[in-house]
Amino acid sequence: MDSLTQIVLGAAVGEVVLGKKVGNKAMFYGGVAGTIPDLDVYFGSFLDTVTAFEIHRGFTHSIFFAIVFGCIFGWLISLYEKKASVKEWMLLMCLGFFTHSVLDVHTTWGTQLFWPFEVRLALKNIFVIDPLYTLPFLIFLIMAMFHPVGTKKRRKYNNLGLIISCSYIIITIIAKGISYTKFTAALKEQEVVYSEIETKPTPFNAVLWSANIETNNAYLIGYYSFFDTKPIKFYSYPKNHHLIDKYKNDSSIQRLIRLTKGWYTVSEKDDALYLNDLRFGLLSVSPNFQQFAFSFKITEEKQKIIVEEVSRDRKKAKKIMYDLWVRIRGN
């Protein structure tokens, strides 16, 4: 999830653990704990594109990191914060790290919770930025912050934030299940033969859902809003995996394909190849929009394969948001 959301979650957890003893400092340190795992993004800026994507939500999002470094950070804090014991500070930091990772499990990217094992858990039931999750949580946290330490109202508001945010996560899981049945029913009705299907929410909401469907030579992408009144339409995107056959033995290409979990297409433009990660869909819900959220340019220089992430066109942000809002309201 985004940094603000993780800070809010960490702060609320900090309040539960040590709010009675250290007041708003518990929220502060909990918020710090909620941001630390995402420092892997900054480490990645010093690495090549593929490696940077590989380490994201890896080691720093693991149970191992939460326990070991939670204890280390908790011990360091206890050296100058004497109102709570070493064990209590350790518990706060461990839970701050751990809840960060658990929340990220619900997003599309996936989290290597059981590092060093390669398994990435990704429930794909909430978008990485969802105002309906974050804003109520933030409001209740602020309300709790301005009440005296140890009062019932402070505890009540903080708990309400946690309860509402957790309830929203459950709602998105239910919504994902409903959208899955809608997609599979539409595929059956349209007699589409497919081997695999994945569903996920579109940006900033849990009302409009998208599905990636694998067929023999292409992937289909479809959208379903809970306000839809017409049948679901599916749009085809050729796999074109054969275009990178000559690079299949290159380790960076193999690692990139492994990152996509096989959900990718290949396109060609201006003598360059582009590997498009389907897991995150297109930048717009409009079928005429061809740019994927994550796309990688593959070029060859002096017999060396170069992989670069394609930057997203921020100038089209208003049009993309408008298209999203229109589609959310139904087809």
Side-chain angles (χ1 to χ4, degrees):
M1 297 291 285
D2 64 285
S3 296
L4 175 61
T5 302
Q6 294 291 10
I7 289 171
V8 172
L9 175 60
V13 170
E15 172 65 22
V16 170
V17 178
L18 277 179
K20 284 185 178 180
K21 283 194 172 183
V22 301
N24 288 340
K25 281 189 177 181
M27 290 187 181
F28 171 76
Y29 286 112
V32 170
T35 62
I36 287 175
D38 280 341
L39 290 177
D40 58 3
V41 174
Y42 298 101
F43 299 146
S45 63
F46 299 101
L47 304 169
D48 65 90
T49 300
V50 179
T51 304
F53 276 88
E54 283 178 328
I55 69 167
H56 183 45
R57 294 198 186 170
F59 168 66
T60 61
H61 286 66
S62 65
I63 295 174
F64 175 85
F65 181 88
I67 295 173
V68 174
F69 284 85
C71 289
I72 293 172
F73 276 95
W75 171 73
L76 289 172
I77 294 169
S78 72
L79 295 178
Y80 54 88
E81 294 288 0
K82 301 297 184 180
K83 288 186 178 181
S85 68
V86 177
K87 287 184 178 179
E88 287 172 322
W89 283 117
M90 286 181 174
L91 178 62
L92 185 152
M93 296 305 289
C94 286
L95 286 177
F97 291 159
F98 180 68
T99 52
H100 175 119
S101 302
V102 169
L103 181 57
D104 278 346
V105 165
H106 292 276
T107 63
T108 300
W109 186 268
T111 303
Q112 210 171 338
L113 199 61
F114 300 108
W115 181 95
F117 299 105
E118 288 294 329
V119 179
R120 284 184 178 266
L121 303 178
L123 298 181
K124 304 178 183 179
N125 59 286
I126 189 169
F127 189 69
V128 67
I129 302 173
D130 191 330
L132 285 179
Y133 176 88
T134 306
L135 292 181
F137 204 175
L138 176 61
I139 290 168
F140 280 114
L141 181 71
I142 292 172
M143 292 172 70
M145 189 185 302
F146 287 100
H147 279 83
V149 175
T151 60
K152 287 184 178 180
K153 280 192 174 181
R154 183 183 176 97
R155 185 170 63 253
K156 173 186 174 183
Y157 288 133
N158 192 64
N159 289 344
L160 273 173
L162 286 165
I163 290 168
I164 291 172
S165 62
C166 289
S167 298
Y168 184 73
I169 290 289
I170 294 170
I171 290 170
T172 62
I173 292 173
I174 295 170
K176 180 181 175 72
I178 295 171
S179 68
Y180 178 85
T181 61
K182 294 290 185 181
F183 283 120
T184 53
L187 290 166
K188 183 178 180 180
E189 186 177 334
Q190 296 175 35
E191 299 182 343
V192 176
V193 178
Y194 65 98
S195 57
E196 198 170 350
I197 177 173
E198 285 193 343
T199 60
K200 60 186 180 300
T202 56
F204 315 121
N205 77 103
V207 176
L208 178 64
W209 292 74
S210 68
N212 291 340
I213 300 100
E214 183 177 8
T215 63
N216 191 29
N217 296 312
Y219 290 103
L220 306 179
I221 296 180
Y223 298 96
Y224 168 74
S225 167
F226 284 96
F227 297 113
D228 278 356
T229 56
K230 299 175 184 177
I232 296 172
K233 290 183 179 180
F234 297 99
Y235 304 93
S236 180
Y237 298 85
K239 291 182 177 180
N240 289 332
H241 290 177
H242 66 278
L243 292 176
I244 57 170
D245 280 347
K246 61 181 178 180
Y247 299 138
K248 278 286 182 77
N249 293 326
D250 183 82
S251 63
S252 60
I253 300 301
Q254 291 175 347
R255 289 157 56 205
L256 189 58
I257 291 173
R258 193 159 55 244
L259 276 173
T260 69
K261 298 187 181 297
W263 290 94
Y264 70 97
T265 65
V266 181
S267 53
E268 192 171 15
K269 183 181 178 183
D270 300 329
D271 297 323
L273 295 178
Y274 294 84
L275 191 149
N276 310 300
D277 192 335
L278 263 71
R279 293 174 303 157
F280 307 97
L282 297 158
L283 281 176
S284 173
V285 295
S286 171
N288 297 320
F289 199 95
Q290 296 295 312
Q291 187 179 355
F292 286 85
F294 284 91
S295 187
F296 302 89
K297 183 179 180 181
I298 302 170
T299 54
E300 187 174 357
E301 295 180 12
K302 298 179 181 179
Q303 296 184 328
K304 183 180 179 181
I305 306 303
I306 307 296
V307 177
E308 301 173 290
E309 183 186 0
V310 177
S311 59
R312 288 166 280 281
D313 189 349
R314 300 184 184 277
K315 294 179 181 179
K316 297 180 180 178
K318 286 186 178 180
K319 176 66 166 58
I320 292 169
M321 292 301 296
Y322 176 77
D323 290 343
L324 178 65
W325 171 243
V326 170
R327 187 62 188 85
I328 286 173
R329 287 155 50 190
N331 58 11

